[in-house]
Amino acid sequence: MKKQESVAVDEYVLTLFVTGASPNSVRAIANIKRICELYLAGNYNLEIIDVYQQPLLAEKQQLIALPMLLKSSPLPQTRLIGDMSDTQKVLKGLGKNNETTDGIEENL
């Protein structure tokens, strides 16, 4: 019998879809990693998928623009498009509306 992975109740399950090493993709990767470490530290699972290397996953998700971040958990599922450079918008999209970036240095 195969053991299923369990996800912590409030763990953020995120998938970032990118297009190779394009400038927007590189920025999106750096930005979402920084946001996750600052605001979700120890409470997230981030998977980065290059749609050039895994086109069937991109087709399955019906992607319309890239880079795109998919938040699968906690519900509701949300999609954010862009390079994730606007920390407040990303936090809002992740459902972390009450978080603030005050006092945290932004390196955009």
Side-chain angles (χ1 to χ4, degrees):
M1 184 176 265
K2 194 174 185 180
K3 183 180 177 183
Q4 291 184 344
E5 288 185 34
S6 61
V7 175
V9 175
D10 291 332
E11 181 180 56
Y12 284 78
V13 178
L14 308 170
T15 307
L16 180 64
F17 295 92
V18 297
T19 51
S22 70
N24 276 343
S25 293
V26 171
R27 274 193 306 275
I29 292 167
N31 288 333
I32 197 60
K33 283 183 175 181
R34 178 182 52 79
I35 290 168
C36 286
E37 284 303 311
L38 287 173
Y39 299 98
L40 307 176
N43 195 32
Y44 71 95
N45 180 7
L46 174 64
E47 182 178 10
I48 298 170
I49 295 177
D50 182 345
V51 298
Y52 291 150
Q53 294 179 6
Q54 299 184 48
L56 294 178
L57 281 176
E59 186 177 317
K60 180 181 174 186
Q61 290 295 329
Q62 299 177 342
L63 305 178
I64 56 170
L66 296 168
M68 187 196 79
L69 181 70
L70 172 66
K71 178 184 72 109
S72 303
S73 179
L75 294 175
Q77 185 180 66
T78 57
R79 294 174 178 228
L80 304 171
I81 297 170
D83 68 4
M84 311 298 141
S85 61
D86 188 330
T87 301
Q88 288 298 333
K89 283 185 181 178
V90 173
L91 290 173
K92 184 176 181 182
L94 293 176
K96 304 283 283 178
N97 300 5
N98 57 350
E99 298 293 328
T100 180
T101 57
D102 292 345
I104 295 177
E105 185 176 328
E106 296 278 337
N107 292 320
L108 302 176

